[in-house]
Amino acid sequence: MFSVEIIVLIELGHSMISNSNFVKGLYFSLYETSLGFGGVVANNQGLIRVLTPFSNLIRHEMNREIVELYPDAQSANTITAKAATLLSSYFKGETVEFDISLDFTGLTSFQRAVYEVVRQISSGQTKCYSQVAIEAGRERAARGGGMAMARNPFPIIIPCHRVVGKSGALVGFSAPGGVESKHRLLLLERRNT
């Protein structure tokens, strides 16, 4: 079982304050699990990125990673605070409904269709890549669905860990820890369903 505490950053790092290209409208929060810290980044329209805790990073390391990826990000907004709270609950083993706005800007229509299909897979359940492709309207695009999963900016919230090979094998998880992380997430969900 994962133990979790929510940590929402309130302070701006010095590198963000001194950045002459500071842009308002980008925010982040961190969440803590027994695996390490994860993070979420959002703009005013919705979440743009989930960083999973599978890298075993401590607080300042995850904070540094987010600042390097998003140097203009400010401390939490309501979207990041809610997402961090929900992810915290998820990693405690609670059943969570991720009713969070996502910003799909820059994603293809196929990626969006795939993510909408995957978002509907119930906790602890799985679908194979070919079934996801069929439901996304592209019957022969299982490999393309897999590529969309590999580029998923919203892991856990868009539960790509619930997509498996045709035989049911756990394959293709691009988050740190790979297939082992996918296995851990499915076990966590199945214990609580």
Side-chain angles (χ1 to χ4, degrees):
M1 188 68 59
F2 302 103
S3 65
V4 185
E5 278 183 42
I6 179 73
I7 304 210
V8 177
L9 296 179
I10 304 301
E11 300 176 19
L12 293 174
H14 293 291
S15 64
M16 289 186 286
I17 293 170
S18 63
N19 185 343
S20 62
N21 295 323
F22 188 80
V23 176
K24 292 184 180 185
L26 204 55
Y27 308 91
F28 74 98
S29 297
L30 300 182
Y31 59 97
E32 183 178 12
T33 76
S34 62
L35 301 170
F37 281 82
V40 291
V41 182
N43 58 28
N44 291 318
Q45 288 69 50
L47 210 60
I48 62 169
R49 180 88 183 267
V50 173
L51 291 92
T52 61
F54 300 121
S55 295
N56 298 313
L57 299 179
I58 59 176
R59 179 182 178 162
H60 78 273
E61 291 170 331
M62 179 55 73
N63 185 63
R64 183 176 54 233
E65 183 171 331
I66 290 174
V67 169
E68 286 173 5
L69 292 170
Y70 302 95
D72 298 329
Q74 303 174 48
S75 60
N77 71 359
T78 56
I79 296 168
T80 64
K82 181 178 181 181
T85 299
L86 290 171
L87 285 160
S88 173
S89 296
Y90 174 86
F91 279 99
K92 286 179 185 173
E94 298 173 17
T95 301
V96 173
E97 179 73 31
F98 287 108
D99 59 340
I100 295 283
S101 297
L102 303 176
D103 184 349
F104 287 148
T105 301
L107 301 177
T108 68
S109 60
F110 179 65
Q111 286 173 309
R112 291 176 192 193
V114 167
Y115 296 156
E116 289 302 328
V117 169
V118 172
R119 197 171 192 182
Q120 301 307 312
I121 303 171
S122 298
S123 181
Q125 301 299 309
T126 60
K127 274 189 185 173
C128 68
Y129 290 96
S130 59
Q131 185 62 39
V132 169
I134 290 167
E135 291 181 30
R138 301 271 299 275
E139 181 178 339
R140 302 172 72 85
R143 187 167 290 163
M147 294 299 290
M149 293 295 89
R151 294 184 179 114
N152 178 8
F154 316 108
I156 313 297
I157 294 172
I158 301 291
C160 50
H161 61 279
R162 297 180 190 154
V163 183
V164 298
K166 195 167 193 169
S167 68
L170 300 182
V171 296
F173 196 55
S174 61
V179 173
E180 178 58 32
S181 294
K182 186 177 216 175
H183 178 70
R184 292 173 91 172
L185 292 170
L186 289 170
L187 283 177
L188 174 69
E189 292 176 357
R190 289 177 179 155
R191 275 187 240 146
N192 299 301
T193 54

